[in-house]
Every structure is written in C-alpha cells, then in structure tokens.
Amino acid sequence: EAIVTSEELGQDLEHVEVLQKKFEEFQTDLAAHEERVNEVNQFAGKLIQEQHPEEELIKSKQDEVNASWQRLKGLAQQRQGKLFGAAEVQRFNRDVDETISWIKEKGQLMASDDFGRDLASVQALLRKHEGLERDLAALEDKVKALCAEADRLQQSHPINASQIQVKREELIANWEQIRTLAAERHARLNDSYRLQRFLADFRDLTSWVTEMKALINADELANDVAGAEALLDRHQEHKGEIDAHEDSFKSADESGQALLAAGHYASDEVKEKLTILSDERAALLELWELRRQQYEQCMDLQLFYRDTEQVDNWMSKQEAFLLNEDLGDSLDSVEALLKKHEDFEKSLSAQEEKIT
C-alpha cells in the first residue's frame, strides 16, 4: 500500500520511467498475490459451508481481506494512471526542451554577423541559410503539434496546467524569435548579395575599361595609307565593343541606384563606385574619340603623302619629256610632237586640279 499511495511522480522523463518500471514489478507481484486472495476466499467459503462455529468472524475477516484487496487494486490503478499522466507531461517537457535546444543552436548560426566578403561567399551563405529555412519549415509542424499537445495535456492534467502553459509559452517565444532572426538574416544576406553583385559588375567593367584603354593606345600611327585604313577599321571595331557594353554599364548603374534608393547600409561606397564607373566610361569614350581624330589625321596625312609622291613621280616623268630637244625633221614628225604636247597640257591641267 505504501507503493501505491506514493506521491512521487518523478522530476523528469527518465525518473518517471524508472518509477514506472518499479511499479510494473509491483503489479507483477500484485498479480501473483491475487491467487493467494482467491485461496483465502475459497477456504473461508468452505469453512462457512461447513458451519464453522466462528462463521461470523470468518465472514468478517473475509470481507476485510476482500475490501483491502479491492482498495489496493484501486489504488494501484490510480497510481498507474498518475504515472502514465506524469510520463505524458514529462515527455512533453522533454520534447519542448529538445526543440528549444535545437532552435537556440540554429539561432546562434543565424545571429552570425558574417554576410560574406565577396559574391561567391555570399552565395554560399545564402545556400546555407536557405537550408536552415527548410529545416525551420519542417520544424513548424512539430511546434504546432507540441502546442496542440499542450492544450490536450492542460485539459487532461489540470493540476499541471500552469507548468504546461509556461513550457508552451517558452516554446512559442523561442519559435517566434528564430523566425524573426531568420527573416532578418535573409534580408541582410540579400542586401549583401545585391551589393556584392554590384561590386563584381563594377570590378568587371572597370577592368574591361582598363584593358580597352590599353588596346586603344596600343597601336602606333601608320606610315602608309593601307596601314591608316587598317587602324581606322580596328578602331571602329573597338567602338563596336564599347557599344556592346552599354547595356552592362546601364545595368550596373541601375543596380547601384536601386541600392541607394533602398537606403542600403553601404550607400556611401556604392555612390563612390557609381561616380568612378561613370568617369571611367566617359574617359574611355573621350580616349576613343581622341584616337579617332588622330587616326583620321594620320589617314589624311598618308593620303597627302601618297598623292604628293604620285604628283612628284608624274612631274619627274614629264620633265624628261619637256627636256627633249627633238623638234621634228619633217611636217609629219612636227605634227606628231605637237599632238604629244597637247596631250601633255591636258594631263597637266588634270594634275593641276589634283594639286590645288
């Protein structure tokens, strides 16, 4: 009877399970004694049937034994119910504690101030965070189930209702906190990603501008018309590549302006990079225009040199014609020489137009 009337219900699930195991041993022992009680009843019935002189005393003792036995079985059943209820409550407490422990463990990861140092590290952190968010989504069902279990236990175990409510509120508080942390970290990582994406585009574009400037400045001025034409063609190809990058410059500028409009934490840096990008683009276009003018001037000069050389060569040939002292020795030869001279004068007029 001391066992079944014990009020000890355990301090945690492990302790309750120990008490349940002891109680199961007690129930086994109780079941073993039921046969002994049955034997007592059978023996009492026999004595009464034989009209034993102490029949009244025997009946009294029999009733006393049966009453004690039923009382013991009733107390055992009550004790079993209490231990079962205590196990339910302690199992709930354990599940809540384990869930809160997991939440706090993940919360430490989400409280990290590492938001990436470059595009690759930010992308890796985003993938990791998305994995944590998937874990949270899966945990949400468990939190809801524990809250429902808390409601049920409060109804079935009103004596523990206040303690169960405290646990429920502790769980909800931790759950809401980690959800807030997750949302804030995701937002910060997205901000970091947008910044690093902009900075990566900035580095790519400024690096490309440097390379393009070097290409534009690399060519020496030509020494002939063909070389000057090749320079102009190649320079126009550079302009085509510059034009092809206009969308990239526009996209980078729009990304930077969006960051500024959103009040990004790195707005000062973004503003500085936007200015540099604009200046670099303008400097590249200015350099291209300067070199275009130089190449066109070079082309004009080479054309002048070519035409001058052609005229010089023509004049040298014509000078030999003019220095010829042959004036003809007959009418036909003189007429032939006059015809040649007329052709020379026509050619001279054509050359004069070219020279002037």
Side-chain angles (χ1 to χ4, degrees):
E1 191 167 323
I3 294 175
V4 296
T5 56
S6 173
E7 293 298 326
E8 185 178 18
L9 296 175
Q11 301 301 315
D12 51 38
L13 183 59
E14 184 179 348
H15 190 190
V16 174
E17 288 174 345
V18 169
L19 292 175
Q20 282 181 316
K21 187 175 181 180
K22 287 182 178 179
F23 186 73
E24 286 171 3
E25 294 172 354
F26 163 76
Q27 285 182 310
T28 302
D29 187 46
L30 189 66
H33 280 77
E34 188 167 14
E35 183 62 30
R36 178 61 177 157
V37 173
N38 290 336
E39 289 176 357
V40 169
N41 280 321
Q42 288 174 3
F43 188 56
K46 181 181 177 183
L47 291 175
I48 293 170
Q49 191 175 10
E50 293 175 352
Q51 297 182 344
H52 193 281
E54 298 293 336
E55 182 179 342
E56 292 300 322
L57 179 60
I58 291 170
K59 284 184 178 180
S60 175
K61 286 294 183 182
Q62 183 185 18
D63 291 342
E64 184 180 337
V65 168
N66 286 331
S68 296
W69 178 250
Q70 291 303 321
R71 181 174 180 276
L72 184 61
K73 287 177 69 175
L75 289 172
Q77 190 172 4
Q78 290 178 17
R79 175 70 175 164
Q80 184 180 30
K82 287 180 180 179
L83 286 173
F84 179 79
E88 280 193 316
V89 173
Q90 292 300 341
R91 190 172 292 108
F92 167 78
N93 290 339
R94 181 201 61 185
D95 290 347
V96 169
D97 288 341
E98 288 179 351
T99 303
I100 289 175
S101 177
W102 185 92
I103 287 174
K104 288 182 176 179
E105 178 186 339
K106 301 305 178 183
Q108 290 178 349
L109 296 176
M110 293 185 184
S112 170
D113 58 357
D114 180 11
F115 299 105
R117 300 168 303 282
D118 52 41
L119 188 60
S121 61
V122 174
Q123 289 174 323
L125 287 172
L126 267 171
R127 286 192 296 270
K128 183 177 180 181
H129 186 74
E130 286 165 359
L132 288 173
E133 288 185 320
R134 285 192 293 271
D135 291 342
L136 284 183
L139 184 68
E140 185 171 9
D141 290 338
K142 185 174 183 180
V143 172
K144 289 179 179 178
L146 285 171
C147 288
E149 178 69 357
D151 293 339
R152 185 187 71 81
L153 290 175
Q154 283 179 296
Q155 293 294 324
S156 59
H157 304 288
I159 193 171
N160 300 111
S162 60
Q163 180 267 325
I164 293 170
Q165 182 62 19
V166 168
K167 277 291 181 185
R168 185 179 188 277
E169 291 175 355
E170 183 182 0
L171 174 64
I172 293 174
N174 279 273
W175 173 245
E176 293 297 334
Q177 182 181 23
I178 198 169
R179 288 182 63 188
T180 300
L181 277 175
E184 290 175 350
R185 180 160 179 78
H186 203 155
R188 287 295 301 274
L189 284 172
N190 278 335
D191 285 346
S192 181
Y193 173 79
R194 290 164 61 207
L195 173 64
Q196 295 302 333
R197 177 75 271 172
F198 168 75
L199 293 178
D201 291 343
F202 167 81
R203 286 190 293 269
D204 289 345
L205 285 172
T206 52
S207 176
W208 174 81
V209 167
T210 300
E211 293 174 3
M212 187 55 63
K213 284 180 178 178
L215 279 175
I216 292 173
N217 280 319
D219 292 323
E220 297 290 338
L221 295 178
N223 295 316
D224 53 42
V225 173
E229 287 177 342
L231 280 177
L232 280 170
D233 289 343
R234 190 155 54 247
H235 195 61
Q236 196 59 42
E237 289 175 2
H238 293 331
K239 185 60 165 62
E241 188 172 351
I242 292 172
D243 291 342
H245 276 75
E246 277 302 301
D247 286 344
S248 297
F249 278 101
K250 182 180 178 181
S251 176
D253 184 72
E254 289 175 350
S255 297
Q257 295 298 339
L259 291 172
L260 295 179
H264 195 278
Y265 62 85
S267 290
D268 290 343
E269 182 182 5
V270 171
K271 192 179 297 182
E272 178 188 357
K273 300 299 186 189
L274 283 174
T275 300
I276 293 173
L277 201 58
S278 177
D279 291 346
E280 285 291 306
R281 176 180 172 278
L284 177 62
L285 291 172
E286 184 178 345
L287 174 62
W288 185 88
E289 179 61 23
L290 174 64
R291 292 296 280 178
R292 183 192 65 78
Q293 293 175 7
Q294 291 175 343
Y295 290 149
E296 288 186 350
Q297 289 172 354
C298 176
M299 182 68 176
D300 292 341
L301 181 62
Q302 294 305 324
L303 287 171
F304 171 74
Y305 285 157
R306 184 194 65 181
D307 293 346
T308 301
E309 185 178 358
Q310 289 175 349
V311 170
D312 283 345
N313 291 336
W314 180 84
M315 286 191 296
S316 295
K317 290 178 181 178
Q318 300 309 316
E319 187 175 352
F321 170 76
L322 292 174
L323 291 175
N324 188 349
E325 295 182 358
D326 182 11
L327 299 176
D329 54 6
S330 65
L331 179 62
D332 291 339
S333 62
V334 170
E335 288 177 345
L337 288 173
L338 281 170
K339 181 68 172 62
K340 285 184 179 181
H341 194 78
E342 288 173 359
D343 291 341
F344 162 74
E345 287 180 334
K346 291 178 182 178
S347 176
L348 181 64
S349 296
Q351 291 296 329
E352 186 176 6
E353 290 178 5
K354 184 183 291 186
I355 293 170
T356 57

